Amino acid sequence: IAAVCQDEEGKPLSGVQVVLYRRNPQKLAMERLRSEATGDDGRFQFADLASPPTEADGSGWSYILAVAKPGKGSIIQYPTAASLKNPLVFKLPSAATLQGRVTDASGKPIVGARVWAGCPYNEPVDGVCSTRTDADGRYAITDMAPDEFKPMRSADGKTAIWVSGCYFEVIHPNYAHIRPMYHHMPDTVDVVLPLEGIIDGKVVDQISGKPAADVLVYIQGTHSVRECGGKTRTDLNGKYRLSSLLAGKYNLWAEAPDRACTALDSFAVESGKTQTAPDLSLIEGGWIEGRLVDAATGKPISGAVKDCYLCCTVGLHGPSRPKSGGCVQWSQVDEQGRFRLRSCHARPGEAL
């Protein structure tokens, strides 16, 4: 990974601290790999690295670069195989500040709440665009990039996308994880945290008849809840706990190799309470197979896109991913247009 860091005028920027991380979503961990500071030419390089995977690879891990210098707006980026064909260029503008106060519903300051912004996968990167609230509940992220959120027009000039603001994250034990929005940068945004809802549950492997240890459990808000979702792992007894949840309805499911799981559909969570969910059951399930073809020619459509992180996929709702949420099961389409999905059997009268 080679790059040059520049100021607003395109001049080399020395003394920029660059940290390389490797994110593993299966282990729910982000590992710090290397750190380097730019010299007078503004350049840095991390050599002898494993190539980042493409979407077709399916391994799920990725690199994350954190680029920071005092007085400048920090940059967090995850380089892909396609983006690394040429050296990267990072332009660091003068820093702006996102600040405010975090309180509970009664107005009492919340001390030690973590506040972060601009981070991939909604996970904070220590020391970059992140901070904690002080004794008065106040926070200040001083290394944000300034932004006015102007409309972005397409190349033909006929269409535009208007972005009214960006989300940032606020979380504290005993309170719900919420995502407020700032509408320009710099900005001042006060935040009120509601009490958290908690789900306790268990995953059982119906094939072995034993608790399912160390499997991933996913949660996603239904269309009525502004919640991106999250995940955790079960313990040795197959038990899990999902905390810091907003009140609302959620879909839950488990994932394990060679197993399928019927999701809990629209499970209700109440603020300040702990709900025990019905057991999630891992079963053998069945396979859905097919081909993607061109309607005009009847020829298969290849899902492989050389040197590109994006690729062609087929997705579906069903017992494993209820339509009440946005998440779908998906399969990469291969070079012959074939796809294959492991899923639960649909119930009588239920369409996939």
Side-chain angles (χ1 to χ4, degrees), residues 254-266:
E255 284 191 2
D258 303 320
R259 297 287 189 270
C261 177
T262 298
L264 291 179
D265 190 347
S266 304

Side-chain angles (χ1 to χ4, degrees), residues 162-186:
W162 180 267
V163 179
S164 64
C166 280
Y167 292 112
F168 64 103
E169 318 284 331
V170 184
I171 191 171
H172 185 281
N174 303 324
Y175 293 92
H177 179 177
I178 69 169
R179 305 178 69 226
M181 180 177 278
Y182 60 87
H183 298 281
H184 48 80
M185 187 53 59

Side-chain angles (χ1 to χ4, degrees), residues 1 104 114 136 171 180 241 260 299 320:
I1 299 177
D104 64 13
R114 192 159 195 183
D136 192 38
I171 191 171
R241 167 169 279 211
K299 294 182 178 180
S320 297

